Amino acid sequence: DGSIAVRLRRTMTHVVRVKHVRGFVDDRGGPEAFEGQTVTQVVGHKVKPWVKKYGKEGGQSIASLVLKKPESKRGTMIMHCMGQNFLDLVDALEDRLGSDAYIYLDIFSCNVLENLEKQAIKWVDQSHETIARCGKVILICDLSLAHLDQYEANPLNRLWCLYELYVVALLPDVEFEVFFTENFHETIVGDLAHWSETLRNLEVKVEKAKSTYPKDKRVLLTEIEKRTSIEDFERIVNTVIKEAFYNALKGEKTWFQRYFPCCSRGLPDEKAWKE
């Protein structure tokens, strides 16, 4: 993810329900006020000013502002790219999880004003506990996946995101799924064969992964090399993400099978994906 998401995620506080995210949109001018804005823009233009105005000195989470009693329940951890459309993200959460689902969404669950730039080591130490506590991780993907090398906001091109996927692989009790935004879903349905092949051939590379802060990248590379080799790290992460893509494309609960039950042309070949 982008640096804002990373820094926010390092100090997990409270979960919110999906309906609280939608309520924030409605209370801050409705969808029209968020039209065309990325997650990064929403943080800068909507979330931070609101916390500065109504929050405690030093800031606090949106969760602790909108809820009289902040939730301490386990919630699904949402991974996303900061460059994607915010309303697409909210729509995907509502459509796939429902309005009452508990989620850990960094920009709502953490103190957005806290300066965490220097806490890379702390988050590396906490990431296993945080992800295990959530119990389930969902990656929301959009059309940026078509441009892995060119589009820096792509979550699979961010070293923090890759490390979190590696942590998911180390925790056998943690579920991992990929959800597609509606626009991406429609694109996939329009050409299942092409996207099946594209996602099957997608390969993430540590050397190409971005990190806004050089220190973050140094800390992560040191941690990876302490645990395994770069080659094994890439193999593990690629296995995790490709399994999730395969399940998202072929599973009974995918969007295109829900809305287009007769659509089978271009479904991924299981043997080819495993090879």
Side-chain angles (χ1 to χ4, degrees):
D1 274 323
S3 61
I4 295 176
V6 169
R7 284 181 283 154
L8 296 178
R9 188 177 298 132
R10 289 182 197 151
T11 53
M12 180 176 182
T13 54
H14 305 110
V15 298
V16 293
R17 293 193 183 194
V18 174
K19 64 183 179 183
H20 297 135
V21 182
R22 175 60 70 183
F24 180 80
V25 172
D26 294 338
D27 292 342
R28 303 302 296 167
E32 296 80 10
F34 290 78
E35 191 67 37
Q37 292 193 14
T38 65
V39 178
T40 296
Q41 291 170 328
V42 169
V43 170
H45 300 159
K46 299 288 195 303
V47 177
K48 284 187 175 181
W50 202 65
V51 173
K52 285 181 180 178
K53 184 174 182 179
Y54 297 105
K56 300 175 183 177
E57 184 176 352
Q60 62 187 111
S61 69
I62 288 286
S64 62
L65 280 170
V66 301
L67 303 176
K68 293 181 180 179
K69 185 179 180 181
E71 303 286 359
S72 59
K73 298 177 181 292
R74 291 178 65 179
T76 299
M77 180 176 177
I78 306 300
M79 297 176 68
H80 58 89
C81 43
M82 297 298 289
Q84 77 180 111
N85 184 285
F86 178 74
L87 291 180
D88 286 351
L89 173 64
V90 177
D91 289 342
L93 294 173
E94 285 183 326
D95 290 344
R96 294 304 305 270
L97 297 176
S99 61
D100 288 329
Y102 288 98
I103 59 171
Y104 166 57
L105 182 62
D106 44 25
I107 67 173
F108 281 76
S109 298
C110 300
N111 181 353
V112 297
L113 302 182
E114 192 171 14
N115 182 4
L116 301 173
E117 181 178 344
K118 299 180 179 180
Q119 295 191 22
I121 295 176
K122 180 180 178 181
W123 171 241
V124 166
D125 293 337
Q126 290 181 344
S127 59
H128 295 251
E129 179 182 349
T130 301
I131 293 172
R133 176 182 171 187
C134 286
K136 184 171 185 176
V137 177
I138 291 174
L139 173 63
I140 307 290
C141 293
D142 63 7
L143 281 167
S144 67
L145 284 177
H147 310 287
L148 184 62
D149 293 331
Q150 296 81 23
Y151 192 61
E152 291 190 10
N154 187 323
L156 298 185
N157 206 18
R158 311 302 298 184
L159 190 54
W160 272 111
C161 182
L162 300 186
Y163 183 76
E164 288 168 351
L165 291 174
Y166 174 72
V167 173
V168 167
L170 297 182
L171 300 171
D173 295 331
V174 174
E175 299 178 50
F176 177 62
E177 288 186 67
V178 167
F179 288 176
F180 301 124
T181 61
E182 185 173 1
N183 290 338
F184 191 20
H185 160 251
E186 291 174 353
T187 302
I188 290 173
V189 171
D191 194 348
L192 290 176
H194 165 74
W195 279 102
S196 173
E197 187 68 11
T198 297
L199 296 180
R200 183 171 73 88
N201 291 326
L202 187 151
E203 295 282 345
V204 298
K205 292 289 185 182
V206 168
E207 64 180 294
K208 295 182 179 180
K210 306 293 190 301
S211 180
T212 301
Y213 299 107
K215 180 180 178 180
D216 283 13
K217 188 162 189 175
R218 290 196 300 270
V219 168
L220 284 169
L221 290 176
T222 298
E223 182 67 18
I224 291 169
E225 291 170 347
K226 275 170 42 180
R227 292 178 172 274
T228 185
S229 66
I230 296 296
E231 292 76 15
D232 280 346
F233 175 87
E234 291 174 342
R235 177 184 55 78
I236 291 168
V237 172
N238 278 313
T239 299
V240 168
I241 196 64
K242 286 187 179 183
E243 268 187 30
F245 282 144
Y246 178 82
N247 292 332
L249 287 171
K250 193 170 182 179
E252 293 181 356
K253 296 182 180 179
T254 59
W255 283 4
F256 71 80
Q257 286 188 333
R258 184 188 305 172
Y259 296 118
F260 303 91
C262 297
C263 181
S264 60
R265 185 177 179 182
L267 285 172
D269 177 77
E270 185 171 5
K271 182 179 179 181
W273 276 65
K274 289 183 177 180
E275 291 176 349

